[in-house]
Structures are given as C-alpha cells and as structure tokens.
Amino acid sequence: MALAALVPGALLGWAVYAAVGGSEDAKGTAGGPSASPSASVSATSRAPSSPGASPTAGPDGGKPGASPSSASPSASRPAASGPLKGKVVVIDPGHNPGNVRHTAEINRQVDIGTNRKECDTTGTATNDGYAEAAFTLDVAHRMRTLLEEQGATVTLTQDADRPFGPCVDERARIGNKAGADAVVSIHADGSGAGNRGFHVILPGSVRAGAADTRAIVEPSRELGERVAGHFVRVTGSAPSNYVGDGTGLVTREDLGGLNLSTVPKVFIECGNMRDSKDAALLTSGAWRQKAAQGISEGIVSFLRGQ
C-alpha cells in the first residue's frame, strides 16, 4: 500500500489495516452498470433500511417522493452542545430512490464547469436488488445522528423528500449556500465482480466556466485522507483493489458535485455492490453503522484538526 499520501491524522487507521491484512454518478472509470430504470463518535443510529429493499424503496421501507418537491435541502435541526458546535456538515446521499421513476428528468444535461453532464443517475444496486439510493440514505441518517451528537449542524441534500434529484449542480450549491465546513457525498460502486474495497474521491484542480476548485483542493484532500483512515480503522475494509493504487484515494476532475463546490468536499464509494463479498457488507445494518461511524469520525478529526 502507498502510505506516503496520508496525513498523520489518518495513519492510525491504515496501520490497523496493515496489521490485520484486512451522481451524479461517481462511477466514471471505476464503475459499472447503474440500476435499471424500471473524537470517538457514539454508535446510536436511526432505523436502518431493509437489505431486501427494492430500488424504489425509501430508507425505512416507505415510498420516496410522496411529499411535494422542494428546492431546499432536508432541514437542519438545532445542534446539541458538543465539540462540533458551530460547525456545519452537509451530507450528500448519492442519487434518490425516486430517480428510477424520473429518468427523463435526471437525464437532462446540466453545466458542471468543464462540460455538461446528466442531472443525476439512478445509481447501482446489488445483484439481489438492494439499491445504492437506499444504502446512501441509510448511512446518511446514521451519520446525521452521530454528528449531531457531537454538536454539528447537519443538512442532507435530499432525504427521499422530493420526487428525484437534486441535480449534481444543485447538490454542490446546497453545500456552498450552507457555508459548510465539510461536505461528504455517500456512494457505493457498481464495478465488476472481484473488484473490492472503498475509495475516496478528491477534487482535482479545475478552473473552467463556473468551476474553480483551486481553493478547496488542499482542505478537501485533508478531509478525504482523514475519512479514509478512520474508515479503515472502524470498518476493517480494505482500500480499493481496482482504483487508487492501494491508497484508497482517487482524484477526479469530471464530477460536477466536486467541480462546483466552493467548500471542502469529497465523495466516498463505500464498497462495490456488484461483488458478492462487498455486497454482504453493504447490506448489513451492523456494517453500515460502522461505515457511518468511520466517515463521521473522519469528519470530526478534520474539523477539530486532530
């Protein structure tokens, strides 16, 4: 594994991994097929999704998109007192359970600075039909609980509270408008069987059209390194064996959610839904809690500078 790229705050997680051996669609070169159109953080969480949920099921088995469309993100609640009081975190659950019913809308092109790209995608799913959109919402809910307990003000870009989307450009604007101290977009990959592990996607240096990431490249890298290190430590999952050269870190310049961000932001692909071993983890509520805790602890470490 390449350790040189990691900041000291992340080294502990990687050392533990070595000891045990153990979209917008962010898929791009790493991914595969999308779903068919038809400070320690405590371990409490909201109710998890059912692993057997269909691609159109909401995070708690309900029907997504039942409430009216809203241009605003899921409302923040008053933060508790804690070490992150005064900090703003935006969690961006990738895709939306309702996207599969709105393919025309999500296929429309939006400006991402470097070029134009689809508004959003349906996301992928396990071979048994557990949708990425259900996974990302479940992890986001768990993260929200953990981070609010630390005193952060937490906003979700969507909570299955709109029929589809938001589009990738709007997802970026939500974090920007919130003045977020950190934004993390939650995903799971759809690569080929045998491709395993997680990777964190960092923004490249982009200056084109409406995109200018130069000010956020370095803080986003620090955020990503800390998230990666804590994710390894808490989940025991390995960095990707198919992208990132074993570091678990990948830099991209083709993602609107990163290109249009003016605040520190990263994506995390928590595992590969199309690999049976990774799918067994992603469909486990216990493992999703670990994933949420690892990502959250990385955010806490970044915001506290520890």
Side-chain angles (χ1 to χ4, degrees), residues 180-184 203 215-216 219-221 223 261-266 302:
D181 297 288
V183 184
V184 177
I216 68 161
S220 295
R221 172 167 285 275
L223 171 62
S261 183
T262 59
V263 294
K265 182 174 182 178
V266 299
F302 170 72

Side-chain angles (χ1 to χ4, degrees), residues 59-271:
D60 298 306
K63 294 181 179 180
S67 58
S69 175
S70 171
S72 62
S74 179
S76 303
R77 290 186 296 272
S81 60
L84 296 188
K85 188 170 181 61
K87 298 295 185 181
V88 176
V89 177
V90 171
I91 304 172
D92 179 27
H95 316 290
N96 179 322
N99 280 1
V100 294
R101 297 189 298 277
H102 294 274
T103 54
E105 292 91 339
I106 67 171
N107 282 335
R108 73 177 180 85
Q109 301 281 301
V110 298
D111 183 6
I112 66 166
T114 52
N115 59 287
R116 298 184 69 81
K117 202 167 184 178
E118 292 84 2
C119 159
D120 202 359
T121 72
T122 60
T124 189
T126 67
N127 293 333
D128 291 333
Y130 180 52
E132 180 185 4
F135 168 83
T136 64
L137 274 174
D138 182 79
V139 172
H141 290 164
R142 296 169 187 269
M143 287 176 59
R144 179 170 60 188
T145 297
L146 297 170
L147 291 165
E148 286 180 342
E149 288 175 351
Q150 296 290 305
T153 298
V154 180
T155 297
L156 271 58
T157 58
Q158 60 92 14
D159 198 2
D161 51 357
R162 50 190 293 160
F164 63 90
C167 295
V168 297
D169 55 339
E170 184 183 350
R171 289 175 186 266
R173 287 195 297 270
I174 289 169
N176 298 345
K177 184 177 180 180
D181 297 288
V183 184
V184 177
S185 188
I186 311 299
H187 287 267
D189 212 351
S191 189
N195 290 341
R196 295 199 62 194
F198 78 94
H199 62 279
V200 176
I201 303 174
L202 314 174
S205 183
V206 173
R207 187 184 184 190
D212 187 351
T213 63
R214 292 173 296 171
I216 68 161
V217 166
E218 289 307 315
S220 295
R221 172 167 285 275
E222 181 181 353
L223 171 62
E225 289 170 344
R226 290 178 183 270
V227 166
H230 284 274
F231 194 83
V232 168
R233 182 180 61 79
V234 176
T235 67
S237 293
S240 170
N241 64 5
Y242 58 102
V243 291
D245 297 322
T247 67
L249 302 174
V250 177
T251 300
R252 299 269 296 269
E253 298 178 0
D254 62 329
L255 301 178
L258 295 179
N259 287 358
L260 299 175
S261 183
T262 59
V263 294
K265 182 174 182 178
V266 299
F267 281 52
I268 181 167
E269 298 277 2
C270 296

Side-chain angles (χ1 to χ4, degrees), residues 33-57:
S34 294
S36 166
S38 357
S40 179
V41 183
S42 72
T44 58
S45 74
R46 302 182 195 278
S49 303
S50 168
S54 70
T56 57

